[in-house]
Amino acid sequence: MQSNNPDYDLIIVGGGMVGLALAARLAQTRLKIAIIDPKPVQMSWDKTEYDLRVSAITRASQQLLDGVGAWSHIEQDEKTAYRRMYVWDGEASRGKIEFDAKLLAEPNLGYIIENRVLRRSLFQAIKPYRSIDFLSPQKCTRVTYQSEQAIIELADGKSIYAKLLVAADGAMSWLRKNSNIDIQQKPYGHKAIVATIKTAKSHQDTAWQRFDHNGPLAFLPLTDEHHCSIVWSVKGDYADQLMALKGKEFLQRLEQTFESTLGECLETSQRVAFPLIERTAECLVKDRIALIGDAAHTIHPLAGQGVNLGFSDVEELAQVIERSNGKQQDIGLKRNLRPYERARKGEIFMMQKAMQGFKLLFEQQMPLVQMSRSYGLALTNQHPLLKQQLIKQAMGL
């Protein structure tokens, strides 16, 4: 039965960091919003153990989180400011480059924050708003599109209506698939191994990254100076070998690959590995639906830009929705959503190509290519103005 007055203006399918950020960004409008997610928000946990999933938050993303009231809910001991980035080529070329916040007269380059902390803080930011309903634990079972609204059928048998649906339900998006939006997939041939590592030496508030032909290895600083979150992206067969190693053997291989930069690797948490795939949705908008975050695109994690791209989606889509709503236009029509797609496709494309380029460049073992890499890194490292520009871009400034 068709409803002439939809229950909601906007239904966000996916209550992770990006979905909650969109709701928080639109919270001060008069729009009625529902968020659907199968997993309730975790509000507390054992702080002696770190979440395996962390994000490097840029200054632009911090500004978004601050603007929606989420940043104030992140405790001081739940975020790690990194002041330096040190990147080097672990092959024969030995090229390196160092970025320091002092170069921009900034206090830091960004923050490393556990994903569960970000999700909880965004949930706390939307809690005061009666115009936002968080439906969880809840699953979608069917979606139907009509000329003036879309309908989501829920697992509890209820149907809810909205002018616009937003897919924020991750790389394997149910809403994208059931809305017949195709996705292009290009496997990187890598798997990412993530774990929390205790090291003998302090991380020095520095994000470290070493490249070799197997792939990049990143040590990201956590709140305790002797703990780092690692992301080790390597070829699939080598990843399987690493995952098969016992804890002590894995730590020895890790320390060897990282060239003992932080001394001995003393302890490892549980390890998790997952395949890395570049994904690009055929479109970001259709009538009654828009895609954001991993539902719209995924990239290699070597630059740590995944969630930051998602937060950029949030800001752009929120502005487009606000403009349409302010003009009393239908926020769910494709023609009114198109400015969002036009604004985002270029940055997503460029970021994906940059990640492909970095991966291919450091996989090369030819001496001439290695020399060129070394020269390029050294040249960049010696030019403060060029480094300033690169830092600003990485920070989203």
Side-chain angles (χ1 to χ4, degrees):
M1 179 177 177
Q2 184 168 334
S3 170
N4 292 324
N5 296 300
D7 301 292
Y8 297 98
D9 296 294
L10 177 68
I11 296 174
I12 302 169
V13 177
M17 297 179 290
V18 174
L20 285 171
L22 179 62
R25 177 63 179 75
L26 293 170
Q28 294 187 23
T29 68
R30 295 184 178 182
L31 297 173
K32 181 72 173 170
I33 301 170
I35 309 163
I36 305 169
D37 198 274
K39 294 182 179 180
V41 176
Q42 188 179 4
M43 299 302 292
S44 62
W45 48 78
D46 180 1
K47 285 195 174 184
T48 63
E49 296 183 359
Y50 291 101
D51 190 352
L52 290 181
R53 300 166 303 167
V54 304
S55 295
I57 298 301
T58 64
R59 189 59 52 82
S61 293
Q62 179 187 347
Q63 290 170 355
L64 171 67
L65 293 167
D66 191 32
V68 302
W71 193 255
S72 62
H73 291 293
I74 302 174
E75 302 294 333
Q76 197 61 39
D77 64 355
E78 293 179 325
K79 55 192 176 190
T80 307
Y82 60 98
R83 296 171 176 82
R84 294 171 60 236
M85 291 178 63
Y86 190 88
V87 180
W88 78 101
D89 186 347
E91 303 287 14
S93 67
R94 313 302 300 171
K96 64 181 180 181
I97 186 169
E98 180 180 356
F99 299 100
D100 195 311
K102 293 178 182 177
L103 191 62
L104 293 178
E106 292 281 351
N108 58 67
L109 299 176
Y111 289 87
I112 306 297
I113 306 176
E114 296 171 74
N115 288 6
R116 63 187 178 185
V117 171
L118 289 166
R119 188 176 187 229
R120 186 207 64 205
S121 69
L122 284 160
F123 179 71
Q124 290 172 310
I126 67 169
K127 278 182 70 176
Y129 293 94
R130 294 184 178 182
S131 58
I132 302 176
D133 292 335
F134 187 71
L135 309 179
S136 180
Q138 186 61 268
K139 290 185 178 181
C140 305
T141 58
R142 188 180 177 189
V143 59
T144 305
Y145 292 96
Q146 298 177 345
S147 60
E148 296 184 358
Q149 61 191 355
I151 308 167
I152 291 282
E153 295 180 27
L154 303 173
D156 63 4
K158 184 179 178 182
S159 294
I160 54 177
Y161 300 72
K163 296 177 183 176
L164 174 64
L165 306 182
V166 175
D169 49 343
M172 307 306 292
S173 172
W174 174 91
L175 183 56
R176 183 190 67 217
K177 179 181 178 181
N178 285 275
S179 301
N180 297 316
I181 297 176
D182 290 334
I183 189 110
Q184 293 182 351
Q185 302 192 73
K186 298 177 183 178
Y188 286 107
H190 278 188
K191 287 183 179 179
I193 299 172
V194 296
T196 303
I197 303 297
K198 183 178 181 181
T199 59
K201 294 181 181 180
S202 167
H203 54 56
Q204 304 163 53
D205 297 328
T206 299
W208 308 84
Q209 191 162 39
R210 178 189 186 272
F211 284 87
D212 66 24
H213 68 278
N214 283 312
L217 168 59
F219 272 62
L220 306 175
L222 296 174
T223 51
D224 179 275
E225 64 176 341
H226 291 283
H227 282 85
C228 291
S229 176
I230 69 158
V231 184
W232 197 354
S233 305
V234 294
K235 297 174 183 177
D237 54 351
Y238 187 45
D240 294 339
Q241 293 176 32
L242 292 172
M243 289 297 291
L245 295 175
K246 294 181 179 179
K248 188 175 181 180
E249 295 172 327
F250 176 78
L251 287 169
Q252 290 173 342
R253 186 75 62 87
L254 179 65
E255 182 183 329
Q256 179 184 20
T257 303
F258 202 56
E259 302 178 31
S260 300
T261 301
L262 297 181
E264 185 180 356
C265 292
L266 302 171
E267 296 176 11
T268 179
S269 68
Q270 171 196 6
R271 287 166 275 158
V272 174
F274 51 90
L276 297 176
I277 301 170
E278 178 190 288
R279 298 179 178 89
T280 311
E282 66 170 353
C283 62
L284 298 183
V285 299
K286 293 171 65 174
D287 280 334
R288 307 293 162 204
I289 184 172
L291 277 58
I292 59 175
D294 285 356
H297 46 75
T298 60
I299 61 171
H300 199 288
L302 67 87
Q305 290 298 313
V307 75
N308 296 300
L309 274 180
F311 286 150
S312 294
D313 294 344
V314 165
E315 180 60 33
E316 193 65 43
L317 181 58
Q319 290 182 24
V320 168
I321 290 172
E322 285 174 336
R323 283 198 296 269
S324 293
N325 188 55
K327 296 176 181 178
Q328 297 186 325
Q329 296 174 338
D330 188 337
I331 65 170
L333 289 181
K334 180 180 177 179
R335 67 170 180 265
N336 296 329
L337 293 166
R338 279 282 290 157
Y340 161 68
E341 183 172 60
R342 287 195 297 268
R344 295 302 300 142
K345 275 204 164 181
E347 182 186 356
I348 294 164
F349 176 81
M350 293 301 295
M351 187 64 72
Q352 288 177 332
K353 292 304 177 186
M355 295 308 100
Q356 289 174 6
F358 276 119
K359 174 182 174 290
L360 291 173
L361 176 63
F362 283 94
E363 281 181 345
Q364 298 298 319
Q365 294 179 270
M366 295 173 59
L368 183 60
V369 176
Q370 290 180 340
M371 279 181 55
S372 299
R373 287 200 310 250
S374 179
Y375 180 74
L377 287 170
L379 189 65
T380 304
N381 201 41
Q382 293 169 11
H383 285 74
L385 291 178
L386 180 56
K387 286 172 66 173
Q388 278 186 346
Q389 204 56 39
L390 289 172
I391 295 172
K392 285 182 179 180
Q393 189 170 359
M395 294 172 68
L397 297 176

